[in-house]
Amino acid sequence: MKVRSAQERLMLYLDSNTEPDGRTVELRGQLQDIASDLGLTREALYRTLASLERAGAIERTGTRILLKKSVNPR
């Protein structure tokens, strides 16, 4: 299955990088590098993070992201 949208790519990345609690992600490295790894521009990554935060799927605090609800990629 190919993940296409920026939101799907980011949620897959976050899901696969959670801490042992399964909900917290500590971002290691710069967002520019994460964007590049996901095949996104830095701007697209920032927009996607903001969109997920507005939707209530994540909560950002510095370099830590809390997954509040799952956004199922299709």
Side-chain angles (χ1 to χ4, degrees), residues 3-4 6-7 12 17 20 22 30 34 36 38-39 52 55-56 61 65-66 69-70 73:
V3 178
R4 293 196 170 108
Q7 186 175 18
L12 184 61
N17 287 285
Q30 296 190 2
I34 294 169
S36 179
L38 297 175
L52 289 170
T61 308
I65 295 178
L66 176 66
K69 66 181 181 182
S70 179

Side-chain angles (χ1 to χ4, degrees), residues 3 6-8 12 19 22 29-30 41 48 56 58 64 67 69:
V3 178
Q7 186 175 18
E8 289 172 337
L12 184 61
E19 300 288 324
Q30 296 190 2
T41 63
T48 304
I58 65 170
R64 183 163 281 183
L67 301 177
K69 66 181 181 182

